[in-house]
Amino acid sequence: MAGVAERLAVLLSAGIAPAAAWRHVARSREAASAARAAMAGGDVGAALLLASREAGAAAQDAWAALAATWRVAVASGAPPATSLRALASSIRALGKVRRQAGTALAGPAATARMVLVMPAVAVVLGALLGFGTVATLVTTVPGFLCLALAVALILAAARWNRRMVRRAAPREKAPGLALDLLAVAMSGGVSVDKARRLVSRSLPARLAASRAELGAAEDILRLASAAGAPAAELLRGEAAARRLAAVVTAERDAVRLSVRLMLPLGLCVLPAFMLVGVLPLLFSILS
């Protein structure tokens, strides 16, 4: 999507008509649907949202952001090239963070999965050594209690790991998007109130969280009014700062996760290893 947005910006800056620009970048299902809608005079944003339903969550967010940007530019009569470039940069930055997070988490996640099988390895090893750990676990009350508690700990560790990995993923869907769209609308010459309403209507439901950024725009608009500065430039600067903050936060969360993944190991997996690997061994020796 970032490539589509950037190419659209270049083509539109060169004076190519929007329908022709969409036709030139129609290399995906979503872009092809938008091209057909543009050539037919239809709603390009609605076509993008409809065609992206089968894509992944991150791709749907990106196409939804592009649809909102296009809708605001068309409705306000502003040139969308600048915002398309900013949108492409934002999507690329978040995509890079997701890839970096996946790379950083690959090692710890693989270690966590490998460690989860340690209790089972302990049971098999005890059986191979002839200590009867399996019989102890399934035929005695203490052994059965150890087995049940170990299974509960392993399930808790697996769920804990998955939850931490999900939380480490970038949470911002389109940081700075609402501020960028507000700058686009105002660049088209519409009033502040009309620009705010236009942006609020153009943002699809899956990007509803971006509407909260409109509240942060009030201070910027007051500053622009008091200083006589261009509000659109100030809004774009704040949007860029929010994108940078989102990238830094996502990178920091990925680094922290590699350490936090050791918590389930120490609190759940190792006790489960003791329950099914060491205690049944002691029970069998004592019996």
Side-chain angles (χ1 to χ4, degrees), residues 53-255:
R53 286 182 177 177
E54 298 179 2
Q60 287 188 44
D61 296 337
W63 288 112
L66 177 56
T69 302
W70 189 265
R71 280 174 167 172
V72 170
V74 171
S76 64
T82 301
S83 292
L84 287 174
R85 287 192 178 94
L87 178 63
S89 176
S90 173
I91 295 301
R92 281 202 173 103
L94 289 177
K96 180 181 178 181
V97 170
R98 287 189 178 94
R99 289 191 296 272
Q100 288 176 341
T103 301
L105 298 178
T111 302
R113 288 192 297 269
M114 181 181 68
V115 168
L116 288 177
V117 304
M118 284 177 55
V121 173
V123 173
V124 174
L125 183 60
L128 292 177
L129 292 176
F131 287 105
T133 54
V134 176
T136 302
L137 288 172
V138 298
T139 60
T140 65
V141 174
F144 183 77
L145 291 176
C146 288
L147 178 61
L149 185 56
V151 170
L153 287 173
I154 291 299
L155 293 176
R159 184 176 180 181
W160 194 355
N161 283 338
R162 288 195 299 269
R163 182 177 298 178
M164 287 194 295
V165 170
R166 285 197 303 268
R167 288 182 177 177
R171 293 181 293 273
E172 294 283 351
K173 294 183 176 181
L177 176 63
L179 298 176
D180 264 332
L181 295 183
L182 194 59
V184 171
M186 295 180 67
S187 299
V190 302
S191 65
V192 174
D193 292 336
K194 184 176 179 180
R196 191 183 293 107
R197 290 194 300 269
L198 177 60
V199 172
S200 182
R201 288 198 307 267
S202 299
L203 287 171
R206 65 179 304 109
L207 297 180
S210 297
R211 294 175 186 166
E213 294 179 356
L214 294 176
E218 298 301 326
D219 292 337
I220 300 174
L221 294 174
R222 281 196 294 267
L223 172 62
S225 177
E233 292 302 320
L234 291 173
L235 289 169
R236 290 191 180 99
E238 179 64 19
R242 285 176 176 264
R243 284 191 289 270
L244 178 60
V247 170
V248 172
T249 300
E251 291 176 345
R252 181 192 61 201
D253 291 344
V255 173

Side-chain angles (χ1 to χ4, degrees), residues 107-119 153-154 156-161 164 257-274:
T111 302
R113 288 192 297 269
M114 181 181 68
V115 168
L116 288 177
V117 304
M118 284 177 55
L153 287 173
I154 291 299
R159 184 176 180 181
W160 194 355
N161 283 338
M164 287 194 295
L257 180 62
S258 62
V259 179
R260 290 176 178 171
L261 282 175
M262 296 299 103
L263 291 175
L265 170 63
L267 298 178
C268 296
V269 178
L270 292 182
F273 177 81
M274 297 292 293

